[in-house]
Amino acid sequence: MVRFKNRYVLCEVVAEEPRGRHCIEDRAVGTAVRDAIARAYGDYGLACCSVSFTVKYLNAYTGTVLLRCRKDFHRLLCSALPLVRQLESRGLRCPCFLSTLHVGGTIRSCQKFLIQHNRRQLLTLLQNCTNEEERQRIRQSVLSCSLTEGQSQSGDEEEEDDTETD
Amino acid sequence: MPPPAAFERRVLRNAAGHHYLRVRLELPDGGARPSAAQLKQLVVAALRELHGEVGAALPVDVLTYEEKTLSAILRVVSSGFVKLWSALTLLGFYQNRRCAFRVLQVDISISSCVIWEQ
């Protein structure tokens, strides 16, 4: 046994109400997932998955969550994710569900997938725009985002990595 | 002190559908004894505590039950055999009374379990 292998599960928190965004924080998501595993798989399942379980990355604006668990028990985790029905934080409860986007062995592979996924999402959102004003605003913000020099962009997975000029 | 039980283990390689366990419930305080339905509920509750909803959904049957000696024969699918035995081992309470499950015999065929000595 050389090293401990992990699996990174990339999911998206989908909440119906727009004000549910404030509930999304790493401790709330971690507790909700742990409760779902405890209900579905009992004490044994909870202990198995909790060995190396953390919320590695969370983005409240897009609702992207990256969870980590041991490789042997990632099926337990993935099958318990649909059982999460609400997130609770600071006394607020917001009903939501988690949809799994990608399961990878490293954070880097999940990051690559997330970049491509966000690119496709931007195109879909552009097509689904109802009025011209929104369309113009999206085009403007996409064209204006750029990679500034001298600043580490490793945390920014949402913005496009290519520089575009007018 | 009863003499230590002789332990014998025979391993058969052919996969069977079910495993049969002969168990005895020990209730040291002399209180009301559970009925067959209550015993089944106790077993399912033990599975639910240790293995969650997935464990509680295991098809477990109480084939025979003697209320006087509190012994029973349980049948479980072979894939859930380890879950059932571990849940029975870790069960400690029945209606807030101390209890313990003693597993006397385990087999893959019912015929050897039926022949039991009193």
Side-chain angles (χ1 to χ4, degrees), chain B residues 1-76:
Chain B
M1 270 271 290
F7 179 62
E8 187 184 299
R9 182 184 172 139
R10 261 179 266 163
V11 181
L12 297 163
R13 285 284 162 212
N14 45 334
H18 297 273
H19 270 71
Y20 298 86
L21 292 99
R22 184 149 63 86
V23 300
R24 190 183 67 228
L25 178 65
E26 271 189 13
L27 284 171
D29 56 351
R33 284 153 187 255
S35 65
Q38 285 170 330
L39 181 84
K40 169 94 186 263
Q41 193 207 5
L42 182 63
V43 169
V44 172
L47 276 167
R48 176 175 279 117
E49 202 178 314
L50 188 62
H51 291 288
E53 296 295 331
V54 165
L58 263 189
V60 175
D61 303 312
V62 178
L63 296 181
T64 55
Y65 177 59
E66 260 191 31
E67 201 161 320
K68 220 164 39 149
T69 55
L70 290 175
S71 350
I73 297 188
L74 306 175
R75 176 181 71 177
V76 72

Side-chain angles (χ1 to χ4, degrees), chain A residues 111 115 119 145-147 153 156-157 159-163:
Chain A
Q111 183 183 17
I115 293 172
R119 281 214 182 104
C145 76
S146 62
L147 202 60
Q153 295 287 326
D156 284 337
E157 297 170 0
E159 298 178 7
E160 308 215 344
D161 282 343
D162 25 318
T163 320

